[in-house]
Amino acid sequence: MNIRKIWITVMILLGLVVTGCALTLDSSDLATSVEALETQISQQEQWLSANATQVIAQRDQLDYQSTQMAQQEEWLSYQSTQIGAHQGMIMYLATGAPTGQKGRYGYPQDGTLTPTPYYPVSGSVVIHQDSCCVGGKAGSSIEVDVQFEAHSVNGEITDMRVLTGAPLVDESDIAQASWEPFMAEKQFPVPVAINWTTFWVHVQYRDATGAISPVFSDEIGVEGN
């Protein structure tokens, strides 16, 4: 009999004494009780061991995920730094180009060079899925759908202002329109006259930092019958 069996036997006997039970168990009954208790204790130990293994595995998984998150944060920080550096280079190339040299290939002959303006906001406007024309009864009005698309290196596009009707004489004319929330698509009423007319849409976009785009325009023919 090992130490565990001795301990279990003693506990059984003490329990019987404390409860006032008569010690009528023979050796076979006592052995059976000891074996049953030993089996229960062994099962509990196995259960505790299995749970301990699961806890250790979960802890290792959490440690791995924490390491992965830290690596992703470092990568995002690196990418953010790279984007900032690229934006700075683009700004320099767009606004800090060298002065032209007379007679040199790629430079104006008068020796001057006007840098191309840098716009962090870009986009487009398309009337009626880029169709050539629409039509209707002369004197009526038809609805024309217009698709808007814009992007910014600074983040989200928040606003746009739209001017419709005639072509722009100057881009500054877009200031006549009020800023409104950006929409990917919008419909506009178009008056239909006899024969052919042209309907124009002009748009300018603004991002969350306040940066604005150049003016984008599109046109479509309108036939009245």
Side-chain angles (χ1 to χ4, degrees):
M1 183 178 296
N2 57 31
I3 296 176
R4 174 184 288 179
K5 288 185 177 180
I6 295 173
W7 178 81
I8 293 173
T9 302
V10 172
M11 293 304 295
I12 291 174
L13 294 175
L14 288 175
L16 292 173
V17 171
V18 171
T19 56
C21 296
L23 298 179
T24 58
L25 294 176
D26 57 25
S27 58
S28 61
D29 292 335
L30 185 59
T32 301
S33 299
V34 170
E35 186 176 351
L37 285 174
E38 187 175 31
T39 300
Q40 291 181 5
I41 293 174
S42 178
Q43 291 174 348
Q44 289 178 354
E45 288 177 344
Q46 292 177 3
W47 181 83
L48 290 173
S49 176
N51 276 271
T53 301
Q54 291 181 2
V55 169
I56 292 173
Q58 291 175 355
R59 184 187 63 190
D60 292 342
Q61 181 67 20
L62 289 174
D63 289 343
Y64 172 77
Q65 292 177 351
S66 178
T67 301
Q68 290 292 101
M69 290 180 64
Q71 292 176 350
Q72 289 177 359
E73 288 177 354
E74 291 179 1
W75 183 83
L76 289 174
S77 177
Y78 169 78
Q79 290 295 316
S80 178
T81 302
Q82 289 294 100
I83 291 172
H86 290 164
Q87 289 179 353
M89 179 59 70
I90 291 171
M91 180 69 76
Y92 169 77
L93 292 175
T95 61
T99 304
Q101 299 179 13
K102 187 175 181 179
R104 185 176 177 183
Y105 177 77
Y107 290 91
Q109 294 299 308
D110 61 0
T112 62
L113 180 65
T114 302
T116 302
Y118 169 66
Y119 293 98
V121 182
S122 60
S124 64
V125 57
V126 175
I127 302 176
H128 199 52
Q129 290 83 42
D130 207 20
S131 299
C132 69
C133 46
V134 292
K137 185 177 180 180
S140 66
S141 177
I142 59 176
E143 293 288 323
V144 173
D145 56 287
V146 180
Q147 292 75 46
F148 301 98
E149 183 179 6
H151 307 278
S152 172
V153 297
N154 299 326
E156 181 184 6
I157 299 296
T158 55
D159 308 291
M160 65 182 187
R161 52 185 176 186
V162 183
L163 201 60
T164 62
L168 288 182
V169 177
D170 189 272
E171 281 198 359
S172 61
D173 293 344
I174 196 72
Q176 302 173 30
S178 301
W179 289 105
E180 59 182 283
F182 172 78
M183 298 178 62
E185 183 169 329
K186 190 175 180 180
Q187 291 195 337
F188 295 89
V190 178
V192 181
I194 297 178
N195 293 326
W196 285 93
T197 57
T198 303
F199 178 74
W200 287 81
V201 176
H202 316 281
V203 61
Q204 189 172 46
Y205 302 105
R206 182 169 64 183
D207 66 19
T209 68
I212 62 174
S213 72
V215 176
F216 302 98
S217 300
D218 193 19
E219 62 180 297
I220 191 169
V222 183
E223 181 183 18
N225 50 47

